[in-house]
Amino acid sequence: MTEKVTKRYEVSGADFTHAGEASGKVKALLKQIGYSPDAIRRVAIAMYEGEINMVIHANGGYVLAEIYPDRIDILLEDTGPGIADIGLAMQEGYSTAPDEVRSLGFGAGMGLANMKRYTDAMRIESEIGVGTKVYITVKS
């Protein structure tokens, strides 16, 4: 692969049935391109966590994946309520997920922490009442 490949995926809010489809599609594409299994695993985990966050907290959004020979840059953007305290939201175990989501096995408060753990770079921009953008990079 010598040029950038760009893919955009919509994520529907409150749709746990289809949550993770974007990360699955990117995972398959990275396998086809020949990325390392480690990079593929890390991208899949981070993207899945981001998609689940959009489903739970933000009524959906979109994922933009830019695949380069040496890295994968991903933007996860939503128009949800925003994150009031990013530092608090990054703490393992902190969650604002409602009880009905927790009863489905989601909302354990590991989403953002896992995204940071499995990526080489992560940046969050969030504005209350406007939405959140999460930028992540995984090196190949």
Side-chain angles (χ1 to χ4, degrees), residues 6-98:
T6 302
K7 297 289 184 180
R8 180 184 164 113
Y9 304 96
E10 297 298 320
V11 177
S12 298
D15 184 359
F16 290 96
T17 303
H18 295 100
E21 283 185 358
S23 56
K25 289 176 181 176
V26 169
K27 179 180 177 180
L29 178 60
L30 293 175
K31 282 183 181 179
Q32 180 183 1
I33 291 171
Y35 262 79
S36 73
D38 178 64
I40 293 169
R41 179 182 62 83
R42 294 186 308 123
V43 166
I45 291 169
M47 272 189 70
Y48 179 81
E49 294 285 10
E51 286 178 76
I52 291 297
N53 280 348
M54 285 192 280
V55 168
I56 293 172
H57 302 289
N59 198 29
Y62 74 92
V63 178
L64 183 68
E66 296 180 331
I67 303 165
Y68 299 88
D70 64 335
R71 72 184 189 284
I72 302 101
D73 291 333
I74 300 166
L75 165 63
L76 302 108
E77 184 172 355
D78 66 59
T79 55
I83 302 171
D85 185 334
I86 293 172
L88 183 59
M90 290 295 298
Q91 292 181 13
E92 292 186 11
Y94 176 79
S95 178
T96 58

Side-chain angles (χ1 to χ4, degrees), residues 102-120:
R102 290 175 189 237
S103 72
L104 296 172
F106 300 101
M110 294 302 295
L112 291 175
N114 278 337
M115 290 174 76
K116 184 170 179 61
R117 178 177 294 114
Y118 290 104
T119 59
D120 294 299

